[in-house]
Amino acid sequence: MVLTTCGETNYEANPPNVLFLAVDDLNNLIGRLEGVNYGVKTPNLDRLAAKGVLFSNAHCQAPLCGPSRASIMTGLRPSTTGIYGMIPDDKIRSGDNQATKDIILLPEYFRDHGYHTMGIGKLFHKHAPAGAFHESGGRVKGFGPLPPERFVWDGFGTSDRKKYGRTSTDWGAFPEVDSLMPDHQSVNWAIERLNRTYEQPFFLGVGFLRVHVPLYVPQKWFDLYPLDSIKTMPYRADDLKDVPPVALQINDLPMMPTTDWAIENGEWPKILQAYLACVSFVDYEIGRLLDELEASQHADNTVIVLWSDHGYRLGEKGTFAKHALWESATKAPLLFIAPDLPKGLVIDQPAEMLSIYPTLTELCGLPAYDRNEGRSLVSLMRGDEGKDEQLAITTFGMNNHTVRSERFRYIQYEDGGEELYDHTEDPHEFTNQADNPRYQKEKASLKKQLPGENAQWAPHSSYSFQPYFVEQKARTSPANTETKGERSVERFTNRDLETMTALRAKIRSGYAPYQKAYQKMLLEANTLLKRPLLSVMRKKITPPSGNKHDYLSLAPYWWPDPEKADGLPWIRKDGEVNPATKDANTDNKAKSQTFKVIEDLALAAWISGNKQYGQRAVEHINTWFLDPATKMNPNFNYAQGIPGRNDGRCFGIIEFIAIQDVIDALEMLDHVGMLPEATKTGMHEWLAAMLHWFQTSELGIEEGLRHNNHATWYDVQVVCMLRYLGRPDAARKVLETAKTKIIAAQLEPDGSQPHELERTKSISYSTMNLNGMTQLAWHGRQLGVDLWGYKTDDGRSIPAAYAFLKPFAFDKKPWPYPQLGEQKHYWDKARALFYQTGARLEVPEFCALRQDGSTTATDLSQLFFQCSAK
């Protein structure tokens, strides 16, 4: 009690930081645990263990990456959530899963309690849900780098390659140096953050990709383990003769090498050598991180947790894989270091990875999260209590469970099949004792610990890699089985889903007034199918960075100086567009065309259900944003530069406003099941990175502080990205500041916009800026921030701005301000804004301004913003 009280008191004054280390597929082959029997060299993991408490008998809650990590991050068991298979990070918490729809994920809990959260690498299954961290370093896709051809294993084995997945399994020395490994780059990113000073405690997560297959690391790590020194695992060819049929189904992994194959081909020692080489490589990278932490100002006030998502079989039970409820698949290292924990303690009682969440909150003096199903291990580590009560439960698929006590492992499958192993006599689980009368009392006791709840498969969770799980989900959870129908989507970010769905139903039913516009849309979509895929790599000018992946544009109202031989520096002609800024020399034109094509194809796909449109839209998305050879880097460092004056300006950020259209497209495609998870995940990561650039770069910060339409549209873009990325609270904060930063600062009491009226295209800019304010008001209405009704004491408000424009737009009052070009076109756009706002924000007087009252439109997109739409 004295230790606990002192710790909590200190934490209130100086809360500890958290270093959260996840190592993929790491079993207990480390020096302080079973690795001592195999000559494993892990000096850095060993010194970590010497500084804290190491659990030698910790077990995952699912022997598969996706559900294991979802369990750790939610604090819930797979049997509670129905997350038995893989699941996209942003679908862990979804409206159609009652168990998780409002769960607070582990890093979010620390964020909500005052921590600055950062993460890089594989922490959740892919990386992390959008917005889970204040700073995200993302994750390199896949498990590369990869050689031109595999060394040994083709990834298919004897499996049906048309139905089931290809494993990444292979082994060999590659690449040449550590710096080419993503884990090395992740540690570099984390080291830079350890050297910062923070005004609040930090939570830093680093997810290592190794020891996940392929077992590739540089040759020097293989050299640590000469082949003649390799000791293989205990194995019996008849080991599985006494297990239930379901166990054999689950263990049917023909895409993996079998132990018998490895023995016959002399590959078993080579696989083990590669695995141990990968372990030592990860150990080295962890050591780099520890060295930096120990040399930093944070050394004495940082809690460290190191864990792996499950074990890994290295020939045990006939294969090389996780995917089982046996010891070698469920057991993995778990280690805690904290200022008031014992040093060098090894605990042999069972523990669950599920306990990481509540243990960290207690170690950091935070209030317990009452939704956690795991129990904190703090009392056990301090020696206070809990040694005799420890159990670990692992679940693999619906209603298949194992319970691990200190002495026994009990397994029960969905059909009632059982296994029981006595680890004091049979540590390798060779002999199933489930029917042995000697053990019936122990079996009955363990059976009582099985989860009482066995949720159906979560709709977004599946595992198509293995036939058993495909069949089980279809058989046990028919209501949740993925169908060709639409996905459960509660909202669209920029549009009213209910209105759009109602209109689509009318279109599909043949409602005559809409058919002309519908047919026009289909004709245009068919033409768009042939549009070439554009990217930032097609521009003729290379950005100052020397990297063509960086977006580049030139300021549109700037021209070569005719009085200078080289035209430099360019001079400004407000409102007069220099055609050289819109050609193939830069990215602006290609960007605008691509974003428009993406939106139009996605809308056509959403309305018609034609997958061709959706597939082509996805190809454009992948080409512009995600494909390594063509992707745009998420920054606007070189937008609207002025030759002879600067490389890029904050004003160029406004060229990104059509990202709203791309987000619309992503949501529509996702809604009708045409958005591949890889594209969706990649776009979440890309947009999160772009949002980070918006909010932290010098140009982004400057743009947000402008006093005209640039600040308005900056906020629109930020709010749009925040909402799409699932960060409504952050979006609300932006919207609240818009009351003073946008409405009060940019509007006069009479509704005029002085910063726009001084421009040479004053109608255009007044309308454009008001459109942005209205979009902010739309977002505010969705999030409970009333910008439409906001009014300053002297009367500045968005409705006042409409009232200022109305006499000019509808009553033919002469416009006394500058406007280049013929005015009718610009007033048509202003009137369209009134109509659209009348529909979106339900302003009857604006709807009444449309004299014909018609629901007929020549452009389908107009239909979604008509007052009669609802």
Side-chain angles (χ1 to χ4, degrees):
M1 288 296 293
V2 173
L3 279 173
T4 303
T5 303
C6 291
E8 291 176 353
T9 302
N10 290 335
Y11 292 162
E12 290 177 4
N14 188 24
N17 307 304
V18 176
L19 182 58
F20 185 82
L21 305 177
V23 184
D24 205 348
D25 286 19
L26 177 65
N27 61 24
N28 270 21
L29 287 183
I30 63 175
R32 284 279 181 125
L33 297 178
E34 295 164 26
V36 69
N37 299 319
Y38 293 88
V40 183
K41 300 172 177 61
T42 53
N44 297 297
L45 290 173
D46 295 347
R47 69 166 162 142
L48 257 184
K51 292 174 176 290
V53 180
L54 176 63
F55 288 85
S56 66
N57 199 6
H59 297 267
C60 63
Q61 274 46 77
L64 186 65
C65 305
S68 173
R69 291 166 185 262
S71 177
I72 290 168
M73 296 300 193
T74 61
L76 302 174
R77 297 188 183 280
S79 52
T80 299
T81 65
I83 300 175
Y84 301 119
M86 299 306 192
I87 190 167
D89 295 344
D90 63 347
K91 291 296 185 182
I92 292 174
R93 180 172 50 211
S94 64
D96 48 16
N97 189 330
Q98 293 300 309
T100 65
K101 67 178 184 179
D102 58 352
I103 200 72
I104 302 173
L105 303 172
L106 191 158
E108 296 174 338
Y109 194 82
F110 279 82
R111 180 195 66 197
D112 294 346
H113 286 80
Y115 276 69
H116 178 71
T117 58
M118 303 168 283
I120 190 169
K122 187 177 179 182
L123 294 166
F124 290 74
H125 175 51
K126 291 295 186 184
H127 166 58
F133 295 103
H134 288 113
E135 292 185 60
S136 169
R139 172 196 160 179
V140 174
K141 185 178 179 181
F143 294 93
L146 306 175
E149 296 182 0
R150 291 182 180 233
F151 293 120
V152 184
W153 192 250
D154 70 356
F156 292 111
T158 61
S159 68
D160 184 341
R161 59 183 65 197
K162 292 183 179 179
K163 290 184 178 180
Y164 304 109
R166 185 185 192 189
T167 176
S168 298
T169 302
D170 193 25
W171 49 95
F174 186 85
E176 293 184 357
V177 293
D178 294 339
S179 60
L180 296 176
M181 300 292 291
D183 289 336
H184 189 87
Q185 297 156 20
S186 293
V187 169
N188 288 346
W189 187 91
I191 284 174
E192 191 276 327
R193 276 143 186 85
L194 285 176
N195 284 309
R196 293 180 182 177
T197 299
Y198 299 90
E199 295 181 355
Q200 58 194 119
F202 65 75
F203 179 106
L204 174 58
V206 184
F208 295 89
L209 298 180
R210 290 293 177 269
V211 186
H212 195 287
V213 292
L215 302 176
Y216 297 156
V217 286
Q219 180 66 47
K220 65 178 181 179
W221 303 109
F222 282 75
D223 293 342
L224 294 177
Y225 302 98
L227 276 175
D228 59 6
S229 71
I230 297 297
K231 176 183 176 183
T232 57
M233 325 308 289
Y235 171 66
R236 290 182 183 174
D238 64 348
D239 186 12
L240 302 181
K241 68 181 185 302
D242 57 358
V243 302
V246 174
L248 296 176
Q249 285 183 271
I250 293 174
N251 198 48
D252 182 18
L253 300 163
M255 66 289 297
M256 304 294 192
T258 66
T259 309
D260 289 340
W261 175 91
I263 293 171
E264 292 168 6
N265 290 275
E267 292 291 334
W268 196 357
K270 297 176 184 177
I271 298 173
L272 279 166
Q273 179 194 42
Y275 186 88
L276 298 180
C278 290
V279 171
S280 289
F281 162 75
V282 170
D283 177 84
Y284 163 74
E285 294 296 343
I286 290 172
R288 292 178 60 223
L289 200 56
L290 295 181
D291 290 343
E292 206 67 34
L293 175 64
E294 291 171 359
S296 76
Q297 60 186 305
H298 312 296
D300 297 327
N301 194 36
T302 297
V303 170
I304 302 174
V305 59
L306 182 142
W307 56 275
S308 184
D309 45 3
H310 41 66
Y312 197 82
R313 295 185 280 163
L314 291 167
E316 300 97 329
K317 303 291 182 182
T319 193
F320 296 82
K322 40 233 181 187
H323 307 100
L325 291 173
W326 298 307
E327 184 85 353
S328 50
T330 70
K331 188 163 68 174
L334 176 62
L335 187 152
F336 289 95
I337 295 173
D340 57 352
L341 287 180
K343 292 179 171 56
L345 177 64
V346 177
I347 293 179
D348 295 325
Q349 283 79 24
E352 295 184 310
M353 300 302 172
L354 188 68
S355 294
I356 292 172
Y357 196 151
T359 301
L360 280 181
T361 58
E362 183 172 355
L363 286 174
C364 294
L366 303 183
Y369 182 32
D370 59 8
R371 297 282 297 279
N372 281 165
E373 291 185 314
R375 57 187 294 180
S376 171
L377 299 171
V378 173
S379 293
L380 178 63
M381 290 191 288
R382 289 175 177 158
D384 298 339
E385 59 184 27
K387 287 188 176 181
D388 299 329
E389 305 170 11
Q390 291 298 119
L391 294 169
I393 299 171
T394 304
T395 298
F396 198 23
M398 184 177 174
N399 218 351
N400 298 317
H401 308 289
T402 180
V403 181
R404 180 69 159 88
S405 67
E406 188 169 2
R407 177 177 174 181
F408 295 99
R409 172 179 294 276
Y410 171 68
I411 303 173
Q412 185 184 79
Y413 297 98
E414 61 169 329
D415 64 354
E418 297 176 307
E419 295 177 54
L420 181 72
Y421 300 100
D422 182 350
H423 273 254
T424 58
E425 299 180 3
D426 182 19
H428 306 301
E429 299 181 343
F430 286 139
T431 305
N432 180 8
Q433 303 284 3
D435 295 329
N436 188 335
R438 173 186 169 192
Y439 293 110
Q440 294 311 299
K441 181 179 179 181
E442 289 84 355
K443 186 177 80 169
S445 176
L446 292 171
K447 192 170 184 175
K448 291 179 181 179
Q449 305 303 320
L450 294 171
E453 180 179 5
N454 286 279
Q456 288 192 335
W457 280 75
H460 301 289
S461 178
S462 62
Y463 195 51
S464 59
F465 192 74
Q466 211 272 351
Y468 167 78
F469 293 101
V470 176
E471 184 275 332
Q472 191 202 48
K473 180 175 181 180
R475 169 171 47 81
T476 62
S477 310
N480 289 340
T481 302
E482 295 286 356
T483 69
K484 295 181 180 180
E486 294 182 355
R487 302 184 183 185
S488 175
V489 176
E490 297 178 356
R491 61 159 180 82
F492 283 169
T493 298
N494 300 305
R495 302 191 184 200
D496 185 87
L497 178 57
E498 181 183 352
T499 299
M500 291 184 67
T501 302
L503 280 166
R504 182 181 63 174
K506 278 192 171 184
I507 293 168
R508 288 181 172 181
S509 70
Y511 182 62
Y514 295 167
Q515 294 309 302
K516 183 177 180 180
Y518 179 49
Q519 293 304 318
K520 178 186 175 186
M521 180 205 72
L522 293 179
L523 287 172
E524 292 174 348
N526 289 333
T527 301
L528 294 179
L529 289 174
K530 302 174 184 177
R531 283 284 187 93
L533 300 172
L534 303 180
S535 78
V536 291
M537 304 305 289
R538 292 169 63 103
K539 61 178 170 284
K540 297 177 181 178
I541 301 176
T542 300
S545 63
N547 187 347
K548 292 190 78 172
H549 289 283
D550 289 328
Y551 179 91
L552 173 73
S553 67
L554 298 174
Y557 300 153
W558 291 76
W559 297 69
D561 187 342
E563 297 182 3
K564 305 285 180 63
D566 59 0
L568 300 177
W570 281 15
I571 58 175
R572 188 169 187 253
K573 299 180 183 180
D574 189 33
E576 299 182 37
V577 176
N578 179 354
T581 66
K582 302 293 184 181
D583 57 20
N585 286 320
T586 69
D587 293 313
N588 193 2
K589 184 177 180 180
K591 177 265 304 174
S592 299
Q593 291 176 345
T594 298
F595 286 16
K596 181 74 165 58
V597 169
I598 289 170
E599 182 191 33
D600 288 350
L601 283 171
L603 181 60
W606 186 79
I607 293 175
S608 70
N610 188 327
K611 290 185 177 181
Q612 276 189 298
Y613 303 142
Q615 290 168 352
R616 190 59 174 171
V618 168
E619 289 175 6
H620 280 281
I621 292 168
N622 288 339
T623 300
W624 189 273
F625 294 100
L626 302 178
D627 288 349
T630 59
K631 68 180 181 179
M632 170 189 160
N633 288 334
N635 70 70
F636 256 44
N637 291 325
Y638 308 109
Q640 288 203 13
I642 303 174
R645 294 181 183 271
N646 51 58
D647 293 333
R649 303 180 303 154
C650 70
F651 302 109
I653 291 173
I654 206 164
E655 293 181 3
F656 196 58
I657 58 176
I659 193 59
Q660 298 172 99
D661 301 334
V662 176
I663 287 174
D664 288 346
L666 292 169
E667 290 175 328
M668 287 187 287
L669 293 170
D670 190 27
H671 186 239
V672 292
M674 296 184 194
L675 185 67
E677 289 299 337
T679 301
K680 184 175 180 179
T681 300
M683 285 304 298
H684 270 260
E685 294 174 356
W686 194 97
L687 287 167
M690 188 58 153
L691 176 63
H692 179 71
W693 183 89
F694 262 67
Q695 296 182 312
T696 61
S697 69
E698 183 178 336
L699 292 179
I701 293 170
E702 182 184 357
E703 179 78 345
L705 298 176
R706 305 306 302 176
H707 300 295
N708 61 1
N709 65 84
H710 281 268
T712 304
W713 284 101
Y714 173 88
D715 279 2
V716 171
Q717 294 175 75
V718 168
V719 169
C720 181
M721 287 188 281
L722 284 169
R723 291 193 64 208
Y724 179 70
L725 295 172
R727 296 171 58 184
D729 291 341
R732 286 188 189 95
K733 291 179 182 179
V734 176
L735 292 167
E736 285 289 350
T737 62
K739 293 177 179 178
T740 53
K741 188 183 82 167
I742 305 298
I743 299 172
Q746 294 192 33
L747 299 177
E748 291 296 304
D750 66 352
S752 62
Q753 305 173 50
H755 297 293
E756 313 308 330
L757 294 178
E758 67 184 16
R759 303 295 297 275
T760 58
K761 291 184 176 180
S762 55
I763 300 174
S764 306
Y765 281 105
S766 294
T767 302
M768 177 188 180
N769 195 34
L770 184 54
N771 186 8
M773 292 184 188
T774 305
Q775 294 206 40
L776 290 174
W778 154 262
H779 288 297
R781 185 163 290 187
Q782 314 312 307
L783 296 177
V785 180
D786 187 9
L787 292 182
W788 183 258
Y790 173 76
K791 182 188 293 186
T792 64
D793 292 341
D794 60 357
R796 302 164 200 258
S797 70
I798 297 176
Y802 278 93
F804 177 84
L805 287 179
K806 180 179 175 296
F808 304 103
F810 291 94
D811 303 333
K812 298 183 179 179
K813 181 178 179 180
W815 182 251
Y817 306 99
Q819 177 62 47
L820 293 175
E822 202 277 317
Q823 292 190 9
K824 181 181 182 302
H825 167 73
Y826 303 106
W827 287 124
D828 284 345
K829 296 184 73 171
R831 286 187 285 270
L833 176 60
F834 274 83
Y835 306 147
Q836 177 176 311
T837 301
R840 297 189 79 191
L841 297 181
E842 299 174 327
V843 185
E845 56 267 35
F846 289 2
C847 291
L849 292 171
R850 183 186 285 275
Q851 295 180 359
D852 60 10
S854 172
T855 60
T856 302
T858 58
D859 188 335
L860 199 61
S861 63
Q862 298 172 20
L863 291 174
F864 297 108
F865 300 115
Q866 289 198 116
C867 291
S868 59
K870 289 190 177 182

